[in-house]
């Protein structure tokens, strides 16, 4: 299999919002400080918010039980239980079908239908 190019990875990390992926997974995010959003982690039982999203960096991190974090690719891998390559494929398919207004560098909207984090794993 061919290696996923750095350009493809950077495009996904630039154009897909980790905030929108988290919200599609059911996470309610609230402003915390100037630069971060805070919510309950979707990956473990979380009684108090421990899931931090940096919109500026487009990264996420759980300060609670799972201590996981990373980019949109890491989020999809964890949410779907898929490999790196499969997460990249899901994100590429999703971004290809996404209207430009839903991309990260566009004005935010609440609609996140069909996000890979909300879709069932296809078993690839």
């Amino acid at each position: 299999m061919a290696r996923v190019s750095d350009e493809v990875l950077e495009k996904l990390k630039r154009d897909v919002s980790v905030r929108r992926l988290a919200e599609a997974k059911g996470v309610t995010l609230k402003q915390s400080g100037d630069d971060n959003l805070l919510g309950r982690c979707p990956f473990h039982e979380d009684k108090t918010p421990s899931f931090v999203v940096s919109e500026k960096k487009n990264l996420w991190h759980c300060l609670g039980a799972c201590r996981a974090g990373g980019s949109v690719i890491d989020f999809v891998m964890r949410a779907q239980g898929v490999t790196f390559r499969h997460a990249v494929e899901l994100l590429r398919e999703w971004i290809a079908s996404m209207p430009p207004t839903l991309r990260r560098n566009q004005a935010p909207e609440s609609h996140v239908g069909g996000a890979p984090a909300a879709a069932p794993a296809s078993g690839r």
Side-chain angles (χ1 to χ4, degrees), residues 107-124:
E109 294 182 17
S110 61
H111 173 43
V112 197
S122 63
R124 282 189 214 176

Side-chain angles (χ1 to χ4, degrees), residues 18-31:
V18 73
R19 175 187 186 162
R20 290 197 181 109
L21 290 177
E23 289 173 341
K25 188 73 173 159
V27 178
T28 300
L29 295 167
K30 298 192 189 264
Q31 195 68 41

Side-chain angles (χ1 to χ4, degrees), residues 13-66:
K13 291 176 185 179
R14 180 185 65 240
D15 290 351
V16 178
S17 167
V18 73
R19 175 187 186 162
R20 290 197 181 109
L21 290 177
E23 289 173 341
K25 188 73 173 159
V27 178
T28 300
L29 295 167
K30 298 192 189 264
Q31 195 68 41
S32 175
D34 291 337
D35 296 329
N36 295 322
L37 300 166
L38 188 62
R40 292 186 178 170
C41 183
F43 305 123
H44 66 87
E45 186 77 24
D46 204 5
K47 294 182 182 184
T48 59
S50 65
F51 186 79
V52 180
V53 171
S54 168
E55 283 192 290
K56 186 181 279 185
K57 297 177 184 175
N58 204 32
L59 297 173
W60 63 277
H61 186 81
C62 174
L63 302 172
C66 67

